[in-house]
């Protein structure tokens, strides 16, 4: 192995790279290859962290004593490979994590924590790099300029009135929800909404047999049981509700999570009939209602009977989970109970963020962002489907007409093996078993729940390649 020669960069940004002896004096191709190897190794070892800014072509070329075109060529190839990123008018930087350092790969995840991943394909996560920063900032400025001083106080525990009014208009227009501002309660995401509903509906909860596990966790925290409903191609079998004895049911009717099917129209009517007959309540989680691709939008079940449905949603998929802004559209008879459980001073969403979202909704900025992101995610979905059809044709892809995830059905017995393989390679994805209710008696299905929303645009090709390599014949 050649002895390393160190070249400190003294002009512009400082950088410490090691080229093999003789590389700097070799021909352009050899020098470029040596520089690329040195930069890859610095990234692998963690000396160049994700987001680190690199020197300009000229600066690095001067300090290494090599041609500027050689540095430019090395940068260009590393950008194409996904190691670096560059945007017009901005410096070249190390891409978000593409290969975990050796020490980090060997380090176990902390107890109760999550290991850092090279590729995040967990379901339900949006591309936060596409957050509309300029539009949000402009909306915040307008909202603060227009807001009276009292709007910056503790305010109404239901949430800022401008936001509730804009939500009522938007949800009616975009999702077919019947609401007025007095029946909307703003909360810090769907998770808090479920905690509050568990407090005011202290009865067993019927849930979909495969569902987000945090849903049943909220009822378990309240000391209440959950009862699984069987699933088929028409969604939850709501005709079984009477046999469960439950008086509250939680469904994802527009795009069942994680199976990806829509609740059959007859079952939409049937669950309302059940609620009317039993004094029951449907909690409708419209978690990704904005994203529909190959079909007409499926409106909210809430529109069939607003007095029998508690409709919940948030901006965690459309904008960012970090904003922690969600809402409930409640039956009139339930508003008082929910507010009592929330508490007069339990104001979990900042007033400025509420007013900013209200402005973004009212100005049309939210609609513009949703339309743009819908097109972007649709293209990603198409690339995912095409790549799997070409490289892993034995994998059946379903649940792709909407949302930010796809269900990859696997032959029986393969799920655990593939999930473990993905973990070893730093690929974050979920096995279908993660979402199966422990008491579910329906047929077991092996599969992967793969999200295509989270990777930044420049990192998506590498994530897609890593996913395909999990399967036989692709390095799996």
């Amino acid at each position: 192995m050649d002895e390393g020669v160190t070249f400190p960069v003294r002009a512009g940004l400082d950088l410490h790279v090691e080229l093999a002896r003789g590389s700097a004096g070799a021909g352009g191709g050899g020098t470029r290859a040596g520089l690329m190897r040195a930069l890859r190794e610095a990234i692998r070892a963690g000396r160049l962290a994700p987001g680190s800014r690199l020197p300009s072509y000229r600066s690095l070329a001067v300090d290494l004593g090599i041609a500027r075109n050689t540095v430019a060529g090395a940068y260009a190839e590393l950008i194409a490979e996904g190691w670096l990123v560059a945007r017009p008018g901005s410096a070249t930087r190390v891409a978000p994590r593409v290969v975990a350092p050796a020490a980090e790969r060997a380090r176990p995840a902390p107890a109760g924590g999550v290991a850092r991943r090279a590729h995040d394909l967990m379901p339900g996560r949006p591309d936060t790099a596409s957050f509309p920063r300029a539009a949000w900032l402009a909306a915040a400025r307008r909202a603060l300029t227009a807001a009276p001083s009292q709007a910056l106080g503790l305010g109404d525990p239901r949430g800022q009135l401008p936001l509730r009014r804009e939500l009522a208009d938007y949800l009616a227009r975009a999702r077919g929800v019947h609401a007025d501002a007095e029946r909307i309660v703003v909360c810090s995401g769907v998770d808090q909404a479920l905690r509050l509903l568990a407090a005011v509906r202290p009865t067993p909860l019927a849930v979909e047999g495969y569902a987000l596990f945090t849903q049943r966790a909220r009822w378990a925290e309240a000391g209440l049981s959950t009862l699984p409903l069987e699933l088929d191609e028409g969604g939850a079998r709501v005709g079984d509700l009477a046999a469960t004895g439950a008086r509250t049911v939680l469904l994802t009717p527009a795009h069942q999570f994680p199976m990806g099917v829509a609740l059959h129209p007859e079952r939409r009517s049937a669950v309302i009939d059940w609620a009317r007959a039993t004094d029951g309540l449907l909690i409708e989680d419209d978690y990704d209602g904005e994203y529909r691709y190959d079909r007409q939008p499926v409106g909210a079940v809430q529109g069939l009977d607003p007095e029998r449905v508690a409709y919940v949603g948030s901006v965690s998929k459309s904008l960012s989970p970090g904003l922690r802004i969600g809402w409930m559209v409640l039956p009139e008879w339930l508003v008082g109970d929910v507010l009592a459980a929330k508490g007069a001073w339990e104001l979990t969403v900042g007033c400025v963020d509420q007013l900013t979202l209200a402005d973004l909704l009212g100005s049309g900025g939210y609609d513009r962002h949703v339309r743009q992101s819908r097109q972007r995610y649709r293209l990603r979905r198409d690339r995912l489907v095409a790549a799997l059809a070409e490289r892993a044709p034995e994998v059946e892809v379903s649940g792709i007409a909407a949302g930010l995830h796809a269900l990859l059905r696997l032959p029986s017995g393969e799920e655990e093996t593939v999930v473990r393989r993905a973990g070893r390679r730093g690929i974050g994805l979920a096995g279908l078993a993660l979402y199966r209710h422990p008491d579910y008696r329906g047929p077991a299905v092996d599969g992967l729940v793969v999200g295509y929303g989270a990777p930044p645009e420049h990192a998506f090709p590498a994530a897609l390649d890593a996913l395909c390599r999990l399967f036989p014949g692709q390095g799996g």
Side-chain angles (χ1 to χ4, degrees):
M1 185 173 181
D2 291 340
E3 182 181 350
V5 178
T6 300
F7 295 85
V9 178
R10 292 174 295 276
L13 293 174
D14 287 334
L15 180 64
H16 187 81
V17 294
E18 295 184 356
L19 300 181
R21 185 181 298 278
S23 291
T31 307
R32 182 173 65 250
L35 177 58
M36 290 172 63
R37 283 194 298 272
L39 290 172
R40 287 194 201 100
E41 182 54 35
I43 295 170
R44 284 195 186 100
R47 291 193 295 107
L48 286 176
S52 296
R53 182 180 175 184
L54 298 186
S56 66
Y57 305 153
R58 178 183 179 188
S59 175
L60 188 56
V62 168
D63 285 287
L64 294 181
I66 60 179
R68 179 180 179 275
N69 287 344
T70 299
V71 178
Y75 278 16
E77 288 194 48
L78 291 174
I79 290 169
E81 292 176 4
W83 294 88
L84 305 178
V85 292
R87 294 182 177 85
S90 180
T92 301
R93 297 180 183 273
V94 176
R97 183 76 66 193
V98 289
V99 178
E104 184 174 293
R105 291 198 301 270
R107 185 185 309 131
V114 178
R116 296 182 69 179
R117 302 184 178 104
H119 305 289
D120 185 359
L121 295 175
M122 292 298 291
R125 299 180 182 179
D127 177 8
T128 54
S130 68
F131 182 84
R133 296 170 188 251
W136 184 264
L137 181 59
R141 286 173 173 164
R142 290 192 300 266
L144 282 172
T145 299
S149 298
Q150 59 267 30
L152 304 179
L154 290 175
D156 192 321
R158 288 171 294 187
Q160 292 283 335
L161 182 57
L163 176 56
R164 290 187 283 122
R165 285 173 172 165
E166 293 295 347
L167 281 172
D169 290 345
Y170 173 78
L171 294 173
R173 170 171 51 82
R175 303 295 302 128
V177 172
H178 291 276
D180 58 62
E182 299 306 306
R183 295 168 58 175
I184 294 178
V185 175
V186 176
C187 50
S188 59
V190 170
D191 196 62
Q192 190 197 22
L194 295 182
R195 290 177 191 271
L196 293 170
L197 290 168
V200 301
R201 297 289 292 183
T203 61
L205 175 73
V207 296
E208 295 155 330
Y210 281 90
L212 193 64
F213 49 85
T214 53
Q215 294 177 351
R216 57 180 182 265
R218 300 294 80 83
W219 252 252
E221 289 172 358
L224 304 169
S225 61
T226 54
L227 310 168
L229 296 171
E230 289 200 25
L231 292 163
D232 58 26
E233 65 278 1
R237 291 172 52 176
V238 298
D240 299 338
L241 274 170
T244 68
R247 291 178 55 202
T248 306
V249 60
L250 197 163
L251 302 176
T252 51
H255 187 227
Q256 200 281 326
F257 184 89
M259 297 301 189
V261 298
L263 189 64
H264 191 278
E266 291 182 2
R267 296 184 185 182
R268 290 162 64 93
S269 298
V271 72
I272 294 298
D273 291 341
W274 163 84
R276 289 170 176 166
T278 63
D279 194 27
L281 177 73
L282 164 63
I283 301 173
E284 180 176 12
D285 183 356
D286 197 24
Y287 68 99
D288 63 0
E290 292 88 353
Y291 298 118
R292 299 289 178 269
Y293 309 127
D294 300 328
R295 67 185 188 209
Q296 290 297 315
V298 177
V301 177
Q302 191 264 7
L304 298 179
D305 191 339
E307 287 302 303
R308 287 295 155 199
V309 181
Y311 174 93
V312 299
S314 76
V315 298
S316 65
K317 308 294 186 293
S318 56
L319 288 175
S320 165
L323 284 177
R324 308 307 306 153
I325 302 179
W327 49 82
M328 293 178 276
V329 183
L330 299 169
E332 188 174 359
W333 54 268
L334 196 56
V335 174
D337 290 343
V338 168
L339 290 177
K342 192 170 190 276
W345 311 115
E346 213 280 285
L347 307 174
T348 52
V349 184
C351 63
V352 175
D353 283 345
Q354 291 188 56
L355 294 171
T356 301
L357 179 58
D359 184 278
L360 199 67
L361 286 164
S363 67
Y366 184 81
D367 284 86
R368 286 190 293 273
H369 170 71
V370 166
R371 286 196 299 272
Q372 292 167 1
S373 56
R374 185 187 296 134
Q375 178 64 18
R376 182 169 58 254
Y377 291 137
R378 178 174 183 158
L379 291 174
R380 287 193 185 190
R381 183 214 56 178
D382 292 347
R383 291 161 69 185
L384 169 68
V385 172
L388 289 169
E390 177 183 355
R391 298 176 58 181
E394 72 281 3
V395 175
E396 178 188 348
V397 184
S398 61
I400 56 174
L404 300 180
H405 76 273
L407 175 61
L408 278 53
R409 294 179 182 261
L410 302 175
S412 180
E414 289 192 10
E415 177 183 319
E416 185 176 355
T417 299
V418 177
V419 170
R420 286 180 177 176
R421 185 181 299 146
R424 289 195 300 269
R425 298 181 185 182
I427 304 169
L429 48 73
L432 193 54
L434 180 65
Y435 304 107
R436 182 182 174 94
H437 193 288
D439 298 328
Y440 185 56
R441 296 294 177 261
V445 179
D446 274 40
L448 305 177
V449 187
V450 175
Y452 47 83
E457 196 63 34
H458 71 271
F460 187 65
L464 197 54
D465 177 69
L467 173 67
C468 290
R469 289 179 180 274
L470 293 175
F471 303 108
Q474 296 292 325

